[in-house]
Amino acid sequence: MAAQEAWEALRLPEADAPEASGQMLYYQPPDEQCARNGYDTLLEHEITAAVTACKAKEVRHLLERFTAKMLEKNIRGYERQFYIQRLVAAMLAVAENAGLSVNQVLADRQANLFETIGKIYTADQMQNFLMDEVAVPVMDLLTEFRQSSSSELVKNVLALIKQTRGDITLNECADRLNYNPSYIWKVLRTEKDTSFSDLANNEKLEMAKELLLTSDMTVVQIAETLNYSNVQNFIRFFSKKVGMTPGKYRKDYQNEKK
């Protein structure tokens, strides 16, 4: 579906049809003839994978290979235009598959993009066009989208940890937010340089401190409130993080107030 929409996005608007511009442009959907004549679908998959990963250097290297193969097989004329169109559609489909619109990538360049394909004659023109006019805009948009999405995800994870007082596992959090646990782990490492368990434990620690200083609950009651299996586990955890037992932490605070 996304690939088909990308192909449709490459069609000229009615007002910009070849008859109106005076320039003949070649268009047809991909078929078996393309593969027989030399279009490398495996290389296309490598390119789209690199674009998806936003690895610009790898994309440029693969596009150089794509161009070299076109020259090596002496692909010219309308056939060359078609091959370029197919690769462009494949790279635009990366944006579609990520939930973005092709129009966001092309903006007001849709007709110009199509016209440019018909004016590509050299290897340098082909590489620069595919990299600068298609791959880079797609990767830039993907990066911006992912940064925005990951920041929102981090906010939701932190809110859920706070709501549950840290009494939640990564898998439980992932289920409630409809994300893959490994993706949440990766986002937290990238955005916060920490792990989910550390965030959950820190929330429990802050809650424990608050209860020790603002309530009359016993250490046992606080441990039960925070869902520790037994009070000794809670005391060990607190002592390791704070450097003193919960009882001493409360006593020192009370002494300072006197």
Side-chain angles (χ1 to χ4, degrees):
M1 184 64 179
Q4 182 61 37
E5 291 177 359
W7 275 103
E8 291 299 326
L10 285 175
R11 290 181 182 273
L12 280 174
E14 200 65 36
D16 295 321
E19 291 78 10
S21 65
Q23 180 180 6
M24 181 179 292
L25 297 172
Y26 184 79
Y27 171 88
Q28 73 176 67
D31 56 21
E32 294 180 2
Q33 184 67 29
C34 173
R36 287 198 298 270
N37 287 354
Y39 188 87
D40 192 334
T41 55
L42 292 178
L43 182 55
E44 175 194 290
H45 294 157
E46 288 184 60
I47 292 170
T48 55
V51 171
T52 301
C54 294
K55 297 180 178 179
K57 288 184 179 180
E58 185 176 341
V59 172
R60 188 176 295 278
H61 172 69
L62 291 169
L63 289 177
E64 289 174 358
R65 281 176 52 194
F66 176 84
T67 302
K69 286 200 170 190
M70 294 270 281
L71 297 177
E72 179 185 325
K73 294 180 179 293
N74 200 28
I75 306 297
R76 298 174 177 272
Y78 293 147
E79 191 174 22
R80 174 184 291 180
Q81 291 181 35
F82 169 52
Y83 286 6
I84 295 173
Q85 288 173 22
R86 172 165 177 170
L87 183 57
V88 168
M91 288 194 285
L92 292 176
V94 170
E96 284 282 344
N97 291 333
L100 299 167
S101 167
V102 166
N103 290 330
Q104 288 177 269
V105 182
L106 298 181
D108 58 351
R109 299 180 299 115
Q110 183 171 324
N112 291 336
L113 195 77
F114 218 100
E115 291 173 4
T116 302
I117 291 176
K119 298 175 183 177
I120 292 175
Y121 304 108
T122 68
D124 285 344
Q125 287 177 330
M126 193 187 311
Q127 289 172 201
N128 292 336
F129 167 77
L130 290 170
M131 186 70 191
D132 300 334
E133 299 299 321
V134 185
V136 169
V138 168
M139 289 188 289
D140 285 348
L141 195 61
L142 275 176
T143 299
E144 181 182 348
F145 174 72
R146 286 167 178 166
Q147 287 175 343
S148 174
S149 298
S150 63
S151 295
E152 187 65 27
L153 174 59
V154 169
K155 289 180 184 178
N156 291 335
V157 168
L158 293 177
L160 192 52
I161 288 175
K162 190 169 188 64
Q163 176 187 330
T164 59
R165 296 180 171 181
D167 187 30
I168 187 171
T169 66
L170 174 57
N171 286 335
E172 289 169 343
C173 178
D175 285 342
R176 291 177 65 168
L177 296 178
N178 293 318
Y179 276 90
N180 186 293
S182 61
Y183 179 71
I184 293 179
W185 183 91
K186 183 177 179 181
V187 168
L188 290 176
R189 277 297 179 193
T190 302
E191 296 260 334
K192 293 290 188 180
D193 191 26
T194 189
S195 68
F196 182 88
S197 59
D198 284 343
L199 289 173
N201 284 333
N202 286 340
E203 181 62 30
K204 280 191 173 186
L205 180 64
E206 292 307 310
M207 181 59 62
K209 288 179 179 179
E210 182 179 340
L211 292 174
L212 285 166
L213 302 183
T214 63
S215 77
D216 294 327
M217 295 173 66
T218 66
V219 172
V220 172
Q221 289 172 326
I222 291 174
E224 290 175 348
T225 298
L226 297 177
N227 283 331
Y228 279 90
S229 56
N230 61 67
V231 68
Q232 292 304 318
N233 285 341
F234 169 62
I235 293 174
R236 276 194 293 270
F237 164 75
F238 192 94
S239 300
K240 181 178 179 181
K241 292 289 186 179
V242 181
M244 64 182 77
T245 64
K248 187 173 188 312
Y249 180 81
R250 171 182 272 170
K251 186 176 181 180
D252 285 355
Y253 174 76
Q254 291 171 341
N255 289 336
E256 286 178 5
K257 289 179 66 178
K258 293 179 179 178

